[in-house]
Amino acid sequence: MKRTFSVAPMLDWTDRHYRYFARLISRQALLYTEMVTTGAIIHGKGDYLGFNEEEHPVALQLGGSNPADLAHCAKLAEQRGYDEVNLNVGCPSDRVQNGRFGACLMAEPQLVADCVKAMQDVVSIPVTVKTRIGIDEQDSYEFLTRFIDTVASAGCDIFTIHARKAWLQGLSPKENREIPELIYDRAYQVKRDFAHLNISVNGGITTLEQCEAHLQHLDGVMVGREAYQNPYMMAEVDQRLYGDDRPVLSRAEVVEQMIPYLERHISNGGRANHVTRHMLGLFNGMPGARQWRRYLAQNAHLPGMGAELLADALASMPEAAREA
């Protein structure tokens, strides 16, 4: 499974509806779930592991710090058909810190190593780690490499590095995605010093040109908000980053292929806006983009709204946008 390009796990955004939609735009990108806590999986009443078969390759991101619980959830993930299990060591929110997982785990590399080993002992799919470059005042390169070396010694050979440190106190999760300085060279240096590891970088990446530049130094790139807010930026991922010569779907073709999916979702008791909220940015930068967003936003939540919503919204778009 190539990790050349992946879409970051994003709470409230990268649910199964978004992932199905993203898969129509890129056949090759590795897709991640939202972070799911071990407590939700083990004690929750809902199905937190459901996904569409069309989503492969798809990875489950877990939040937790109890090795036994993580091992149990990793085993469930493999049984359900996930291609990878990823441990979150990057989220800085207070709620996550109170649960003793996320970015605060960078201060406990041996515990992370124990968690990784516990998961690897019970599954055959890859167990990977997504981390920051540091936390609070512990932001030296030595701190990062000590963490990487300890976790890698437990058998983890795949890391995604968000190239910002996390401030655990004083900044909100949103601010932690924007304020700490991006230091891509730290990820580059990790790859030089740990050449045997698979290293991807995350943070602030918005174009395929930037992806191509990072791939001169690293094994992979992970794109977050841009892949959600401007999803068609992924349209040429397969061709430019994977050498896939299959034709790119137009925006209109993507919409047309989403109609049967939306029909199935509604027939199973879902509402149109569960799906269409992820499609608002499809026409960003095109004539009629605002009209597309407004039409979906104003109509998708209405009771009884069916899949014809997408066909009607597409028909209202300028011809130039439909053909692009």
Side-chain angles (χ1 to χ4, degrees):
M1 182 172 64
K2 289 187 176 181
R3 293 174 175 78
T4 307
F5 182 97
S6 59
V7 178
M10 292 176 282
L11 196 61
D12 247 1
W13 286 5
T14 54
D15 66 13
R16 60 192 179 94
H17 304 308
Y18 169 78
R19 297 192 304 267
Y20 185 95
F21 169 57
R23 179 59 68 222
L24 293 175
I25 301 172
S26 170
R27 299 177 179 92
Q28 302 285 357
L30 173 59
L31 304 177
Y32 281 80
T33 68
E34 306 165 89
M35 182 187 68
V36 186
T37 66
T38 55
I41 294 171
I42 296 171
H43 305 295
K45 295 181 180 179
D47 180 7
Y48 293 93
L49 297 178
F51 67 96
N52 306 288
E53 284 300 313
E54 294 87 351
E55 294 173 32
H56 291 291
V58 59
L60 171 70
Q61 187 182 67
L62 288 174
S65 60
N66 181 290
D69 288 349
L70 285 163
H72 176 66
C73 292
K75 191 169 185 178
L76 291 176
E78 182 176 47
Q79 291 170 351
R80 292 291 291 271
Y82 281 94
D83 300 295
E84 173 189 314
V85 173
N86 177 267
L87 180 63
N88 183 315
V89 191
C91 182
S93 78
D94 292 340
R95 182 178 66 84
V96 164
Q97 290 181 58
N98 292 337
R100 198 189 173 199
F101 57 94
C104 65
L105 286 178
M106 284 199 79
E108 301 184 76
Q110 188 56 54
L111 175 58
V112 176
D114 293 343
C115 291
V116 166
K117 185 177 186 306
M119 290 188 281
Q120 288 185 326
D121 284 346
V122 297
V123 301
S124 58
I125 58 176
V127 175
T128 70
V129 168
K130 184 173 188 288
T131 187
R132 295 274 185 147
I133 59 172
I135 49 175
D136 297 333
E137 301 300 337
Q138 300 178 88
D139 60 354
S140 67
Y141 182 67
E142 290 70 27
F143 175 78
L144 175 60
T145 54
R146 186 163 58 249
F147 174 84
I148 296 287
D149 191 43
T150 302
V151 178
S153 69
C156 181
D157 57 7
I158 302 169
F159 292 83
T160 298
I161 299 175
H162 187 160
R164 286 185 174 97
K165 74 174 181 179
W167 281 106
L168 300 182
Q169 303 294 329
L171 291 183
S172 69
K174 181 178 185 296
E175 291 170 327
N176 262 296
R177 292 192 297 267
E178 299 169 349
I179 292 176
E181 179 187 5
L182 280 162
I183 310 177
Y184 295 124
D185 283 344
R186 291 279 177 89
Y188 297 171
Q189 188 63 49
V190 168
K191 180 59 185 178
R192 288 193 290 268
D193 292 341
F194 298 85
H196 62 291
L197 299 179
N198 185 292
I199 305 294
S200 295
V201 70
N202 171 229
I205 302 170
T206 59
T207 69
L208 293 189
E209 288 74 22
Q210 292 170 358
C211 292
E212 289 167 334
H214 287 305
L215 290 170
Q216 298 299 311
H217 306 275
L218 297 161
D219 301 293
V221 290
M222 175 180 278
V223 178
R225 284 168 288 170
E226 189 70 14
Y228 186 88
Q229 295 168 346
N230 181 27
Y232 204 68
M233 67 84 63
M234 296 185 287
E236 295 184 353
V237 160
D238 299 356
Q239 290 73 22
R240 291 175 59 172
L241 305 186
Y242 290 88
D244 189 330
D245 59 3
R246 286 176 288 186
V248 175
L249 291 182
S250 69
R251 292 172 174 83
E253 288 171 329
V254 172
V255 174
E256 289 162 358
Q257 292 198 28
M258 283 299 294
I259 292 173
Y261 179 82
L262 181 56
E263 287 174 342
R264 290 195 300 273
H265 175 66
I266 292 172
S267 68
N268 289 328
R271 296 186 60 160
N273 64 319
H274 297 163
V275 175
T276 59
R277 71 185 183 95
H278 301 299
M279 301 176 64
L280 295 177
L282 180 60
F283 287 90
N284 275 4
M286 299 299 297
R290 183 178 299 178
Q291 177 179 328
W292 167 263
R293 292 193 299 269
R294 184 187 303 119
Y295 193 98
L296 292 184
Q298 290 179 347
N299 294 285
H301 69 283
L302 298 177
M305 179 56 66
E308 71 278 0
L309 168 71
L310 286 178
D312 293 344
L314 183 60
S316 72
M317 293 292 288
E319 184 176 352
R322 295 201 303 271
E323 294 178 352

